[in-house]
Amino acid sequence: MAKNYYDITVALAGICQSARLVQQLAHEGQCDASAFEITLNSVLNLNPTSTLDVFGNEVQNLRTGLDAMMGMLNSTHSGASAELTRYVLSLMTLERSLSKKASATNELAKRISQLERQQAYFEPMSEGMFNSLAGIYVDVISPIGRRIQVTGSPDILRNTLVQAKVRAALLAGIRSAVLWQQVGGRRLQFMFSRQRLIQQAKEILAHC
């Protein structure tokens, strides 16, 4: 059956957007606020009508991720691009570990459903929301595989709010990695379908 490269590219852009936000937070202590909000909201969208609906149904919501994806696929994998690639591949690996643990998958679904019901009690993009998402990541995702080593400014990474935002962004990255698998994304595409992904990303960006 033919792969739907539009959906695969959208989901991969979601992973890349999470990874790019982690980079920004770790090195600068802040990140693109609108992209961050879209990314965190993707975790709580439990019944999307389409792949794009996970990200608010607007391609421009993924511009940060699409740009990061294009840079990653076109790069020689050095410096910041190598760091981004490491985050993306680590998120994909963690998702595969998660998929093999039914207890963790069930707990993740339960915790996210609880948080979705509690949304009314949190201000959007509030410290309470960041801490809740980070708590899910620490409790459910961290124990199932090798931890993702986030690199950046040591002083910035000691900040507890930055730590919570980074973990929340990583949880969103896992959500996009699950989506990527669901729509037919596979690691081999990085080797054999790179130009197809780049072309699809260019076409999507043309509508941003």
Side-chain angles (χ1 to χ4, degrees):
M1 192 168 76
K3 297 279 190 185
N4 183 337
Y5 273 87
Y6 179 88
D7 284 346
I8 289 169
T9 303
V10 165
L12 181 55
I15 306 173
C16 291
Q17 185 149 302
S18 291
R20 182 72 188 109
L21 293 167
V22 168
Q23 273 190 315
Q24 291 175 346
L25 287 163
H27 289 279
E28 302 162 29
Q30 56 191 0
C31 64
D32 183 308
S34 61
F36 193 42
E37 184 169 7
I38 291 295
T39 295
L40 296 194
N41 284 341
S42 73
V43 178
L44 301 175
N45 188 348
L46 299 180
N47 297 293
T49 57
S50 67
T51 305
L52 188 59
D53 184 47
V54 174
F55 307 102
N57 228 15
E58 298 284 349
V59 290
Q60 56 262 37
N61 291 339
L62 282 170
R63 176 175 276 283
T64 296
L66 287 162
D67 285 339
M69 177 184 156
M70 292 280 289
M72 180 181 75
L73 293 174
N74 278 314
S75 80
T76 55
H77 298 308
S78 60
S81 180
E83 185 179 75
L84 183 86
T85 303
R86 178 170 63 82
Y87 291 150
V88 169
L89 295 178
S90 295
L91 286 165
M92 290 175 175
T93 300
L94 266 180
E95 184 279 329
R96 289 290 78 202
S97 297
L98 175 67
S99 73
K100 295 169 186 163
K101 294 185 182 293
S103 59
T105 302
N106 292 336
E107 179 64 18
L108 180 62
K110 185 177 86 174
R111 292 281 296 270
I112 291 173
S113 293
Q114 288 172 346
L115 184 56
E116 186 194 32
R117 291 194 295 272
Q118 295 165 359
Q119 271 189 92
Y121 301 103
F122 292 106
E123 288 291 326
M125 297 291 285
S126 67
E127 190 168 342
M129 180 60 79
F130 303 146
N131 286 333
S132 294
L133 291 166
I136 295 172
Y137 183 83
V138 169
D139 295 344
V140 182
I141 304 299
S142 290
I144 64 174
R146 179 183 291 181
R147 293 195 176 190
I148 297 176
Q149 295 297 315
V150 175
T151 50
S153 163
D155 287 341
I156 289 172
L157 287 170
R158 277 193 285 269
N159 183 297
T160 55
L161 180 57
V162 170
Q163 290 173 11
K165 287 181 176 180
V166 164
R167 287 170 178 145
L170 290 172
L171 181 65
I174 295 291
R175 194 271 177 270
S176 288
V178 169
L179 181 67
W180 186 67
Q181 282 285 335
Q182 288 171 338
V183 299
R186 299 295 181 265
R187 290 275 289 267
L188 284 174
Q189 289 158 2
F190 281 80
M191 286 187 284
F192 300 116
S193 304
R194 184 176 293 245
Q195 290 307 313
R196 183 78 180 271
L197 291 166
I198 289 171
Q199 184 57 40
Q200 186 69 69
K202 285 179 180 176
E203 291 175 13
I204 296 171
L205 277 167
H207 293 92
C208 286

